[in-house]
Amino acid sequence: MKKIMYLEFERCIGCRSCQAACRECGGHDAKERNYVEYVDFLESRQTFPMMCMQCKDPACARVCPANAIQITDDGVVLSAMEEKCIGCRNCTFGCPFGIPKFDFEENKMYKCDMCYDRTKHDIAPMCASVCPSDAIRFIDHDEMMELRRKRTQLNLIEGKKPSENNKWQYVPEFFGVYSD
Amino acid sequence: MKELERSFYSKASMYSFIVVVILFFSIWVGTGQFTKVGWMKFGYMVSSFIFFIGITVRLTAWLMRPATHEVMKRTIQNMKTTKRQKRNVKAIVKTLVDNIILQKFIFKRGIYRGIQHWLIAWGCIGSLAITFGLVFGWMHFRLVDATTYQLVVFNIPTITMHPDGIFAQLVFNGLNIAAAMLLVGLIMAIARRIKNHDLKVTERAEFDLFPLYLLLAVTVSGLLLTVSFKLLDGWMHSTIALVHQITVVIFLVYFPFGKLFHLPIRPMAAAVPMNYQETVQVDTKECIGCHKPYSNDDQIADVQQMLGNQAFDLKMKDGNHPSDYCPACRRMLRVMNHLNIKSPVGEVAEEPVQTNNGIHIPGFGRRRAESFYAQSVKEEK
């Protein structure tokens, strides 16, 4: 997998087409695995999309007592294996980003797997392929780095809080898995 | 225990040794000091030993995982607490009935899947029980007189039966009944694997398909044995017996290392109602951001302990952990930090959570081709 996911939260217009697309993805069982939520509903109607970061060392897998959360060769963190998951919900509490969802009826956890069947062939995941405002993008590493570089410069010009030392912490996140 | 452990190479080898000794002793008792060992079943016996050693090694390694260890520690602690006995017994009985015997949660994933899994699961457990019982000599039949058979368990004579009675037929055909259940379940499972394209996303041939076809080989060759001596006058019986033995040996050796290993770890599901969520979907701990209940104290304490033991430093600026917030608040906090907005519910850590663990360093840490820097210099001008 050569491409990565890139999120720009303020581009989100709250249309929720990413969630509709997620429900359509193979193996997702008509349940969305991503989130579109209000940043601060009392202040503005700004929404943000949220997907799994596909951590290299996932906290969800580390707190799973059944060793049910597996990582593919490409580095995609999959939903808990249905046969192993004992339904303790530790992963939903261990994840620092609040990503895994839990189905009490079927007693299993499910989470964003970056549409593994698509991204392993470098096809954009469902959410990125439908996003009308480019809040979710599936792009090359170089393209992403350029976008981020521009953002840091913009942030500095506008006199926001970031300084030269920590400006990389105030740019949109990129994630996903890629190899050089 | 520590003293004993030191004389072994590892924990796993110690437990394996204990298991082997117990098995050996059970054979000694069951076969009347090795007088009635079925040497026909020697191949099965060796592979059964490998099965038990494999299970022991895998379980030991699994219990040493920090997360599993933490859950088991709390389970043992709760088992010892006299105040919680009622809850413990309730949790174990409920898990045993709903989760293991009836497998209700799989039926909720679909009736088809439920029936299929229930048939395979109980076919497997039933035939494994009969296999181990016969191979290790834990039980055998004895002819008391011309019309009376007796079941001997661990060399203790128990119930007697008429060889043509219904009970005797059920007992003698135990393996056939289990095999019939397995056959139906396996055909259902294989049909599902072929038809349902959603399954192909995460399907792995060696993990998901191999055990199915292996079980099918065991089942079919086992049933062919019955067909051979009942209907075909024992035609090819010894050949089929050999083929069956080979498939069973592969199955027993494979069992602890593949998909089927989920069987011995399932009982840990009892730890969920016992330690964490007493009633499903009733939470007791409030999120410190939105004050809505989202979990319970014991579970959050365990999760934080597990993360701490594995050197995850997720502490935020205000001294709380992300797990003290509900998932929705956690998502909001993270986005607010990135949009440079001060959050009303808490202050996140100065550094964003590293998801790449230094394997990839974002930003300037990565040296790029000269042309890249030349371009950015040009842009700045």
Side-chain angles (χ1 to χ4, degrees):
Chain A
M1 207 182 288
K2 292 193 190 71
K3 296 192 168 181
I4 54 170
M5 292 271 279
Y6 185 66
L7 294 187
E8 282 186 271
F9 297 131
E10 57 270 69
R11 273 175 172 268
C12 180
I13 55 170
C15 66
R16 292 170 203 276
S17 43
C18 49
Q19 292 193 301
C22 189
R23 287 195 287 270
E24 299 294 323
C25 188
H28 285 197
D29 212 11
K31 285 181 198 128
E32 78 258 7
R33 299 179 172 197
N34 50 4
Y35 300 89
V36 175
E37 286 169 350
Y38 289 100
V39 176
D40 189 350
F41 189 76
L42 297 176
E43 289 291 326
S44 73
R45 296 298 95 85
Q46 177 66 51
T47 51
F48 64 86
M50 183 66 84
M51 284 94 198
C52 175
M53 294 286 287
Q54 316 292 348
C55 306
K56 287 270 190 295
D57 188 7
C60 57
R62 292 286 188 178
V63 298
C64 176
N67 199 12
I69 300 170
Q70 303 282 312
I71 304 163
T72 67
D73 292 342
D74 306 305
V76 171
V77 183
L78 297 174
S79 299
M81 295 158 90
E82 287 183 11
E83 67 269 16
K84 277 193 192 168
C85 178
I86 58 164
C88 67
R89 293 197 299 160
N90 270 359
C91 47
T92 61
F93 305 126
C95 173
F97 311 116
I99 298 295
K101 294 191 174 193
F102 191 77
D103 187 331
F104 283 98
E105 273 284 294
E106 301 184 6
N107 196 35
K108 66 178 182 191
M109 163 276 221
Y110 58 104
K111 66 176 276 298
C112 164
D113 54 5
M114 247 176 98
C115 297
Y116 178 58
D117 50 336
R118 295 167 66 87
T119 46
K120 73 176 165 194
H121 301 300
D122 275 341
I123 304 169
M126 296 297 265
C127 51
S129 64
V130 298
C131 182
S133 58
D134 271 357
I136 311 162
R137 277 187 266 189
F138 190 64
I139 50 178
D140 289 329
H141 181 265
D142 287 352
E143 197 182 342
M144 179 276 298
M145 286 308 274
E146 203 155 331
L147 283 169
R148 293 186 91 213
R149 187 175 285 271
K150 278 189 185 146
R151 282 290 296 249
T152 58
Q153 289 163 358
L154 195 71
N155 277 350
L156 286 174
I157 291 162
E158 286 182 356
K160 284 187 188 167
K161 207 172 80 189
S163 68
E164 185 67 37
N165 294 331
N166 65 356
K167 59 185 178 183
W168 282 106
Q169 293 167 15
Y170 294 88
V171 291
E173 303 194 334
F174 70 93
F175 59 90
V177 286
Y178 66 92
S179 47
D180 286 320
Chain B
M1 202 67 179
K2 275 267 180 304
E3 281 294 308
L4 184 69
E5 206 183 304
R6 224 174 286 159
S7 52
F8 284 94
Y9 183 73
S10 65
K11 254 192 181 151
S13 61
M14 178 179 75
Y15 289 127
S16 304
F17 178 75
I18 294 169
V19 165
V20 168
V21 168
I22 291 171
L23 279 179
F24 213 71
F25 182 70
S26 77
I27 299 176
W28 186 74
V29 173
T31 58
Q33 290 85 49
F34 299 123
T35 49
K36 292 187 280 283
V37 181
W39 293 110
M40 272 287 287
K41 294 173 291 211
F42 190 68
Y44 293 106
M45 195 192 281
V46 172
S47 53
S48 299
F49 270 105
I50 296 173
F51 171 91
F52 277 103
I53 293 169
I55 293 272
T56 314
V57 170
R58 283 294 310 268
L59 277 180
T60 315
W62 177 71
L63 285 171
M64 274 154 64
R65 296 179 69 249
T68 319
H69 182 75
E70 207 60 47
V71 171
M72 289 319 284
K73 211 167 78 183
R74 185 166 297 274
T75 310
I76 292 166
Q77 197 186 319
N78 284 344
M79 294 268 241
K80 283 183 187 160
T81 316
T82 36
K83 257 187 179 170
R84 297 178 70 117
Q85 286 313 327
K86 210 176 140 195
R87 182 175 168 180
N88 292 345
V89 173
K90 213 179 127 195
I92 292 170
V93 172
K94 197 171 177 303
T95 312
L96 185 71
V97 175
D98 284 358
N99 219 321
I100 295 171
I101 297 178
L102 298 176
Q103 300 167 0
K104 277 187 184 167
F105 64 105
I106 304 177
F107 280 90
K108 279 179 188 150
R109 294 176 190 171
I111 301 279
Y112 187 90
R113 286 179 75 180
I115 295 169
Q116 161 208 315
H117 188 273
W118 195 88
L119 286 174
I120 296 180
W122 284 103
C124 259
I125 296 171
S127 48
L128 276 179
I130 296 171
T131 307
F132 292 140
L134 294 175
V135 165
F136 292 127
W138 294 342
M139 57 169 200
H140 62 263
F141 297 100
R142 199 172 60 152
L143 195 63
V144 180
D145 57 57
T147 55
T148 316
Y149 249 137
Q150 189 171 42
L151 184 65
V152 184
V153 180
F154 283 108
N155 223 15
I156 302 159
T158 53
I159 25 179
T160 52
M161 56 191 122
H162 192 275
D164 292 328
I166 295 171
F167 181 72
Q169 287 303 320
L170 278 178
V171 172
F172 298 154
N173 284 315
L175 273 173
N176 283 334
I177 295 165
M181 281 166 70
L182 262 171
L183 191 65
V184 176
L186 285 169
I187 290 170
M188 284 171 85
I190 290 169
R192 180 167 168 266
R193 288 273 163 197
I194 291 169
K195 262 201 219 154
N196 194 338
H197 292 284
D198 285 356
L199 293 173
K200 294 202 167 50
V201 178
T202 50
E203 185 177 87
R204 282 183 285 157
E206 83 282 6
F207 191 81
D208 296 301
L209 299 179
F210 175 68
L212 275 183
Y213 291 114
L214 181 63
L215 265 174
L216 190 69
V218 173
T219 312
V220 170
S221 59
L223 283 175
L224 274 182
L225 276 176
T226 310
V227 172
S228 165
F229 79 78
K230 281 260 154 105
L231 307 175
L232 303 174
D233 259 354
W235 179 72
M236 293 256 290
H237 194 274
S238 57
T239 318
I240 300 170
L242 189 63
V243 170
H244 183 62
Q245 181 161 344
I246 291 167
T247 55
V248 172
V249 167
I250 296 172
F251 172 77
L252 286 174
V253 173
Y254 165 82
F255 191 101
F257 305 101
K259 185 170 187 166
L260 301 164
F261 184 68
H262 73 271
L263 191 148
I265 67 173
R266 209 1 92 170
M268 198 179 58
V272 180
M274 192 191 288
N275 304 347
Y276 298 150
Q277 207 173 38
E278 193 168 6
T279 346
V280 177
Q281 279 181 297
V282 176
D283 292 317
T284 50
K285 185 183 163 68
E286 273 184 8
C287 161
I288 56 173
C290 61
H291 302 294
K292 282 178 195 147
Y294 74 107
S295 181
N296 52 76
D297 293 309
D298 285 354
Q299 184 155 21
I300 296 302
D302 271 4
V303 166
Q304 286 172 0
Q305 182 72 37
M306 285 169 199
L307 289 172
N309 289 349
Q310 296 177 87
F312 273 90
D313 184 16
L314 301 174
K315 211 168 195 171
M316 312 197 321
K317 222 180 189 176
D318 53 9
N320 295 315
H321 287 270
S323 45
D324 291 324
Y325 292 92
C326 67
C329 281
R330 250 177 275 159
R331 292 191 290 272
M332 199 181 74
L333 279 171
R334 168 176 169 225
V335 171
M336 285 189 145
N337 185 39
H338 274 274
L339 295 177
N340 215 357
I341 307 169
K342 209 166 161 34
S343 163
V345 291
E347 272 186 282
V348 284
E350 220 149 76
E351 297 272 319
V353 175
Q354 278 290 336
T355 57
N356 281 334
N357 278 40
I359 296 166
H360 160 251
I361 304 147
F364 293 116
R366 172 178 295 245
R367 183 80 191 158
R368 311 200 66 81
E370 282 306 318
S371 59
F372 183 82
Y373 297 105
Q375 195 200 348
S376 68
V377 167
K378 209 166 72 188
E379 265 174 21
E380 272 169 23
K381 278 175 188 168

